PDB file of all heavy atoms in Angstrom:
ATOM      1  N   VAL A1261     -14.013  -4.593  -4.689  1.00 89.00           N
ATOM      2  CA  VAL A1261     -13.139  -4.693  -3.511  1.00 89.00           C
ATOM      3  C   VAL A1261     -11.741  -4.206  -3.855  1.00 89.00           C
ATOM      4  O   VAL A1261     -11.096  -3.483  -3.069  1.00 89.00           O
ATOM      5  CB  VAL A1261     -13.110  -6.141  -2.976  1.00 89.00           C
ATOM      6  CG1 VAL A1261     -12.064  -6.290  -1.882  1.00 89.00           C
ATOM      7  CG2 VAL A1261     -14.478  -6.534  -2.436  1.00 89.00           C
ATOM      8  N   ASN A1262     -11.223  -4.574  -5.019  1.00 89.00           N
ATOM      9  CA  ASN A1262      -9.888  -4.130  -5.424  1.00 89.00           C
ATOM     10  C   ASN A1262      -9.833  -2.604  -5.571  1.00 89.00           C
ATOM     11  O   ASN A1262      -8.846  -1.963  -5.186  1.00 89.00           O
ATOM     12  CB  ASN A1262      -9.482  -4.794  -6.739  1.00 89.00           C
ATOM     13  CG  ASN A1262      -9.081  -6.257  -6.551  1.00 89.00           C
ATOM     14  OD1 ASN A1262      -8.489  -6.611  -5.530  1.00 89.00           O
ATOM     15  ND2 ASN A1262      -9.404  -7.102  -7.524  1.00 89.00           N
ATOM     16  N   LYS A1263     -10.869  -2.009  -6.161  1.00 90.00           N
ATOM     17  CA  LYS A1263     -10.905  -0.552  -6.293  1.00 90.00           C
ATOM     18  C   LYS A1263     -10.970   0.128  -4.933  1.00 90.00           C
ATOM     19  O   LYS A1263     -10.318   1.143  -4.693  1.00 90.00           O
ATOM     20  CB  LYS A1263     -12.108  -0.142  -7.135  1.00 90.00           C
ATOM     21  CG  LYS A1263     -11.978  -0.464  -8.602  1.00 90.00           C
ATOM     22  CD  LYS A1263     -13.207   0.004  -9.383  1.00 90.00           C
ATOM     23  CE  LYS A1263     -13.071  -0.315 -10.869  1.00 90.00           C
ATOM     24  NZ  LYS A1263     -14.276   0.122 -11.638  1.00 90.00           N
ATOM     25  N   PHE A1264     -11.757  -0.473  -4.028  1.00 90.00           N
ATOM     26  CA  PHE A1264     -11.871   0.102  -2.686  1.00 90.00           C
ATOM     27  C   PHE A1264     -10.515   0.060  -1.967  1.00 90.00           C
ATOM     28  O   PHE A1264     -10.109   1.043  -1.325  1.00 90.00           O
ATOM     29  CB  PHE A1264     -12.933  -0.677  -1.892  1.00 90.00           C
ATOM     30  CG  PHE A1264     -13.225  -0.117  -0.542  1.00 90.00           C
ATOM     31  CD1 PHE A1264     -14.196   0.863  -0.384  1.00 90.00           C
ATOM     32  CD2 PHE A1264     -12.524  -0.548   0.583  1.00 90.00           C
ATOM     33  CE1 PHE A1264     -14.470   1.394   0.868  1.00 90.00           C
ATOM     34  CE2 PHE A1264     -12.800  -0.027   1.832  1.00 90.00           C
ATOM     35  CZ  PHE A1264     -13.768   0.943   1.975  1.00 90.00           C
ATOM     36  N   ILE A1265      -9.814  -1.065  -2.098  1.00 88.00           N
ATOM     37  CA  ILE A1265      -8.507  -1.190  -1.451  1.00 88.00           C
ATOM     38  C   ILE A1265      -7.508  -0.205  -2.069  1.00 88.00           C
ATOM     39  O   ILE A1265      -6.697   0.417  -1.368  1.00 88.00           O
ATOM     40  CB  ILE A1265      -7.989  -2.637  -1.561  1.00 88.00           C
ATOM     41  CG1 ILE A1265      -8.885  -3.587  -0.735  1.00 88.00           C
ATOM     42  CG2 ILE A1265      -6.544  -2.743  -1.086  1.00 88.00           C
ATOM     43  CD1 ILE A1265      -8.550  -5.055  -0.907  1.00 88.00           C
ATOM     44  N   GLY A1266      -7.557  -0.069  -3.410  1.00 87.00           N
ATOM     45  CA  GLY A1266      -6.638   0.862  -4.071  1.00 87.00           C
ATOM     46  C   GLY A1266      -6.814   2.295  -3.608  1.00 87.00           C
ATOM     47  O   GLY A1266      -5.850   3.072  -3.575  1.00 87.00           O
ATOM     48  N   LYS A1267      -8.035   2.684  -3.240  1.00 88.00           N
ATOM     49  CA  LYS A1267      -8.292   4.047  -2.783  1.00 88.00           C
ATOM     50  C   LYS A1267      -7.910   4.234  -1.309  1.00 88.00           C
ATOM     51  O   LYS A1267      -7.417   5.305  -0.928  1.00 88.00           O
ATOM     52  CB  LYS A1267      -9.764   4.393  -2.966  1.00 88.00           C
ATOM     53  CG  LYS A1267     -10.201   4.508  -4.427  1.00 88.00           C
ATOM     54  CD  LYS A1267     -11.674   4.846  -4.517  1.00 88.00           C
ATOM     55  CE  LYS A1267     -12.135   4.952  -5.976  1.00 88.00           C
ATOM     56  NZ  LYS A1267     -13.583   5.268  -6.064  1.00 88.00           N
ATOM     57  N   LYS A1268      -8.163   3.227  -0.495  1.00 88.00           N
ATOM     58  CA  LYS A1268      -8.021   3.391   0.948  1.00 88.00           C
ATOM     59  C   LYS A1268      -6.640   2.980   1.480  1.00 88.00           C
ATOM     60  O   LYS A1268      -6.211   3.471   2.527  1.00 88.00           O
ATOM     61  CB  LYS A1268      -9.083   2.550   1.668  1.00 88.00           C
ATOM     62  CG  LYS A1268     -10.523   2.950   1.342  1.00 88.00           C
ATOM     63  CD  LYS A1268     -10.867   4.318   1.904  1.00 88.00           C
ATOM     64  CE  LYS A1268     -12.327   4.655   1.666  1.00 88.00           C
ATOM     65  NZ  LYS A1268     -12.698   5.983   2.240  1.00 88.00           N
ATOM     66  N   PHE A1269      -5.949   2.075   0.789  1.00 88.00           N
ATOM     67  CA  PHE A1269      -4.696   1.536   1.331  1.00 88.00           C
ATOM     68  C   PHE A1269      -3.562   2.549   1.174  1.00 88.00           C
ATOM     69  O   PHE A1269      -3.373   3.140   0.108  1.00 88.00           O
ATOM     70  CB  PHE A1269      -4.326   0.231   0.619  1.00 88.00           C
ATOM     71  CG  PHE A1269      -3.249  -0.551   1.326  1.00 88.00           C
ATOM     72  CD1 PHE A1269      -3.556  -1.451   2.324  1.00 88.00           C
ATOM     73  CD2 PHE A1269      -1.909  -0.371   0.992  1.00 88.00           C
ATOM     74  CE1 PHE A1269      -2.562  -2.167   2.973  1.00 88.00           C
ATOM     75  CE2 PHE A1269      -0.909  -1.084   1.627  1.00 88.00           C
ATOM     76  CZ  PHE A1269      -1.234  -1.983   2.631  1.00 88.00           C
ATOM     77  N   ASN A1270      -2.803   2.736   2.237  1.00 86.00           N
ATOM     78  CA  ASN A1270      -1.676   3.672   2.245  1.00 86.00           C
ATOM     79  C   ASN A1270      -0.420   2.951   1.746  1.00 86.00           C
ATOM     80  O   ASN A1270       0.260   2.243   2.512  1.00 86.00           O
ATOM     81  CB  ASN A1270      -1.460   4.224   3.656  1.00 86.00           C
ATOM     82  CG  ASN A1270      -0.358   5.257   3.719  1.00 86.00           C
ATOM     83  OD1 ASN A1270       0.120   5.747   2.683  1.00 86.00           O
ATOM     84  ND2 ASN A1270       0.051   5.609   4.935  1.00 86.00           N
ATOM     85  N   THR A1271      -0.113   3.119   0.471  1.00 80.00           N
ATOM     86  CA  THR A1271       1.046   2.431  -0.101  1.00 80.00           C
ATOM     87  C   THR A1271       2.364   3.043   0.338  1.00 80.00           C
ATOM     88  O   THR A1271       3.424   2.409   0.217  1.00 80.00           O
ATOM     89  CB  THR A1271       0.953   2.463  -1.636  1.00 80.00           C
ATOM     90  OG1 THR A1271       0.848   3.817  -2.073  1.00 80.00           O
ATOM     91  CG2 THR A1271      -0.265   1.671  -2.107  1.00 80.00           C
ATOM     92  N   ASP A1272       2.351   4.287   0.829  1.00 82.00           N
ATOM     93  CA  ASP A1272       3.584   4.922   1.297  1.00 82.00           C
ATOM     94  C   ASP A1272       4.031   4.383   2.653  1.00 82.00           C
ATOM     95  O   ASP A1272       5.128   4.717   3.126  1.00 82.00           O
ATOM     96  CB  ASP A1272       3.381   6.440   1.407  1.00 82.00           C
ATOM     97  CG  ASP A1272       3.095   7.068   0.050  1.00 82.00           C
ATOM     98  OD1 ASP A1272       3.543   6.486  -0.972  1.00 82.00           O
ATOM     99  OD2 ASP A1272       2.417   8.117   0.009  1.00 82.00           O
ATOM    100  N   LEU A1273       3.197   3.558   3.257  1.00 83.00           N
ATOM    101  CA  LEU A1273       3.539   3.033   4.582  1.00 83.00           C
ATOM    102  C   LEU A1273       4.769   2.136   4.532  1.00 83.00           C
ATOM    103  O   LEU A1273       5.556   2.094   5.490  1.00 83.00           O
ATOM    104  CB  LEU A1273       2.335   2.257   5.149  1.00 83.00           C
ATOM    105  CG  LEU A1273       2.502   1.665   6.543  1.00 83.00           C
ATOM    106  CD1 LEU A1273       2.718   2.765   7.583  1.00 83.00           C
ATOM    107  CD2 LEU A1273       1.264   0.831   6.909  1.00 83.00           C
ATOM    108  N   ALA A1274       4.943   1.400   3.412  1.00 80.00           N
ATOM    109  CA  ALA A1274       6.088   0.495   3.307  1.00 80.00           C
ATOM    110  C   ALA A1274       7.401   1.256   3.390  1.00 80.00           C
ATOM    111  O   ALA A1274       8.359   0.816   4.043  1.00 80.00           O
ATOM    112  CB  ALA A1274       6.002  -0.299   2.002  1.00 80.00           C
ATOM    113  N   SER A1275       7.477   2.425   2.736  1.00 81.00           N
ATOM    114  CA  SER A1275       8.703   3.232   2.805  1.00 81.00           C
ATOM    115  C   SER A1275       8.923   3.773   4.203  1.00 81.00           C
ATOM    116  O   SER A1275      10.057   3.837   4.700  1.00 81.00           O
ATOM    117  CB  SER A1275       8.627   4.389   1.805  1.00 81.00           C
ATOM    118  OG  SER A1275       8.494   3.883   0.477  1.00 81.00           O
ATOM    119  N   ASP A1276       7.843   4.176   4.865  1.00 82.00           N
ATOM    120  CA  ASP A1276       7.968   4.683   6.234  1.00 82.00           C
ATOM    121  C   ASP A1276       8.453   3.586   7.191  1.00 82.00           C
ATOM    122  O   ASP A1276       9.132   3.886   8.176  1.00 82.00           O
ATOM    123  CB  ASP A1276       6.628   5.231   6.716  1.00 82.00           C
ATOM    124  CG  ASP A1276       6.163   6.416   5.860  1.00 82.00           C
ATOM    125  OD1 ASP A1276       7.021   7.035   5.185  1.00 82.00           O
ATOM    126  OD2 ASP A1276       4.947   6.684   5.850  1.00 82.00           O
ATOM    127  N   LEU A1277       8.097   2.334   6.894  1.00 81.00           N
ATOM    128  CA  LEU A1277       8.526   1.218   7.744  1.00 81.00           C
ATOM    129  C   LEU A1277       9.945   0.761   7.438  1.00 81.00           C
ATOM    130  O   LEU A1277      10.460  -0.141   8.108  1.00 81.00           O
ATOM    131  CB  LEU A1277       7.558   0.026   7.582  1.00 81.00           C
ATOM    132  CG  LEU A1277       6.119   0.265   8.042  1.00 81.00           C
ATOM    133  CD1 LEU A1277       5.240  -0.932   7.681  1.00 81.00           C
ATOM    134  CD2 LEU A1277       6.084   0.504   9.543  1.00 81.00           C
ATOM    135  N   GLY A1278      10.581   1.348   6.410  1.00 82.00           N
ATOM    136  CA  GLY A1278      11.947   0.981   6.076  1.00 82.00           C
ATOM    137  C   GLY A1278      12.083  -0.291   5.283  1.00 82.00           C
ATOM    138  O   GLY A1278      13.153  -0.909   5.277  1.00 82.00           O
ATOM    139  N   LEU A1279      11.022  -0.701   4.592  1.00 82.00           N
ATOM    140  CA  LEU A1279      11.082  -1.916   3.794  1.00 82.00           C
ATOM    141  C   LEU A1279      11.826  -1.650   2.491  1.00 82.00           C
ATOM    142  O   LEU A1279      11.730  -0.548   1.922  1.00 82.00           O
ATOM    143  CB  LEU A1279       9.669  -2.421   3.501  1.00 82.00           C
ATOM    144  CG  LEU A1279       8.835  -2.837   4.719  1.00 82.00           C
ATOM    145  CD1 LEU A1279       7.446  -3.270   4.289  1.00 82.00           C
ATOM    146  CD2 LEU A1279       9.520  -3.964   5.489  1.00 82.00           C
ATOM    147  N   PRO A1280      12.567  -2.622   1.981  1.00 85.00           N
ATOM    148  CA  PRO A1280      13.309  -2.407   0.733  1.00 85.00           C
ATOM    149  C   PRO A1280      12.355  -2.278  -0.446  1.00 85.00           C
ATOM    150  O   PRO A1280      11.208  -2.741  -0.397  1.00 85.00           O
ATOM    151  CB  PRO A1280      14.173  -3.667   0.618  1.00 85.00           C
ATOM    152  CG  PRO A1280      13.444  -4.697   1.406  1.00 85.00           C
ATOM    153  CD  PRO A1280      12.783  -3.965   2.542  1.00 85.00           C
ATOM    154  N   PRO A1281      12.782  -1.638  -1.536  1.00 81.00           N
ATOM    155  CA  PRO A1281      11.904  -1.496  -2.708  1.00 81.00           C
ATOM    156  C   PRO A1281      11.607  -2.840  -3.348  1.00 81.00           C
ATOM    157  O   PRO A1281      12.357  -3.797  -3.224  1.00 81.00           O
ATOM    158  CB  PRO A1281      12.718  -0.585  -3.635  1.00 81.00           C
ATOM    159  CG  PRO A1281      14.139  -0.754  -3.201  1.00 81.00           C
ATOM    160  CD  PRO A1281      14.097  -1.002  -1.723  1.00 81.00           C
ATOM    161  N   GLY A1282      10.486  -2.901  -4.057  1.00 84.00           N
ATOM    162  CA  GLY A1282      10.068  -4.129  -4.705  1.00 84.00           C
ATOM    163  C   GLY A1282       8.590  -4.363  -4.521  1.00 84.00           C
ATOM    164  O   GLY A1282       7.858  -3.549  -3.926  1.00 84.00           O
ATOM    165  N   LYS A1283       8.114  -5.480  -5.038  1.00 85.00           N
ATOM    166  CA  LYS A1283       6.684  -5.814  -4.971  1.00 85.00           C
ATOM    167  C   LYS A1283       6.372  -6.421  -3.606  1.00 85.00           C
ATOM    168  O   LYS A1283       7.052  -7.331  -3.131  1.00 85.00           O
ATOM    169  CB  LYS A1283       6.331  -6.804  -6.079  1.00 85.00           C
ATOM    170  CG  LYS A1283       4.840  -7.132  -6.153  1.00 85.00           C
ATOM    171  CD  LYS A1283       4.554  -8.103  -7.289  1.00 85.00           C
ATOM    172  CE  LYS A1283       4.759  -7.421  -8.641  1.00 85.00           C
ATOM    173  NZ  LYS A1283       4.359  -8.311  -9.752  1.00 85.00           N
ATOM    174  N   LYS A1284       5.340  -5.922  -2.971  1.00 83.00           N
ATOM    175  CA  LYS A1284       4.892  -6.408  -1.671  1.00 83.00           C
ATOM    176  C   LYS A1284       3.513  -7.047  -1.831  1.00 83.00           C
ATOM    177  O   LYS A1284       2.651  -6.527  -2.541  1.00 83.00           O
ATOM    178  CB  LYS A1284       4.822  -5.269  -0.642  1.00 83.00           C
ATOM    179  CG  LYS A1284       6.114  -4.475  -0.504  1.00 83.00           C
ATOM    180  CD  LYS A1284       7.282  -5.352  -0.102  1.00 83.00           C
ATOM    181  CE  LYS A1284       8.580  -4.552  -0.062  1.00 83.00           C
ATOM    182  NZ  LYS A1284       9.742  -5.397   0.218  1.00 83.00           N
TER     183      LYS A1284
END
């Protein structure tokens, strides 16, 4: 499940949403 999420989840979305840097 973790590998599947790592492949499919769009991690760049946080920057597009204007969230500050750091662990989410």
